[in-house]
Amino acid sequence: MLLNIQIESISLAQPEKTLKKVSEQAAEKEKLENARKMKAKNISDDIIAECTGLSLQKRQEL
């Protein structure tokens, strides 16, 4: 799966920070995609929260 990630700023002076930020964005995007798939299968918000760790607000926005 190809992830389309927006990077707000890239700092060549701090590649570890940039890599960490990109990794966190990718993980969040994957959680949201998994939650969307679960919601499409009528899985309850409680189970989605348990499996993805997303907040109630994020789940309701899907």
Side-chain angles (χ1 to χ4, degrees), residues 20-47:
K20 182 179 178 183
K21 186 170 190 160
V22 170
S23 295
E24 288 170 355
Q25 288 175 344
E28 183 71 13
K29 187 170 180 102
E30 186 173 6
K31 284 180 186 182
L32 290 169
E33 183 60 30
N34 287 336
R36 281 188 196 93
K37 289 177 184 177
M38 294 170 80
K39 194 161 186 113
K41 295 188 179 286
N42 294 319
I43 295 174
S44 75
D45 281 345
D46 292 338
I47 293 173

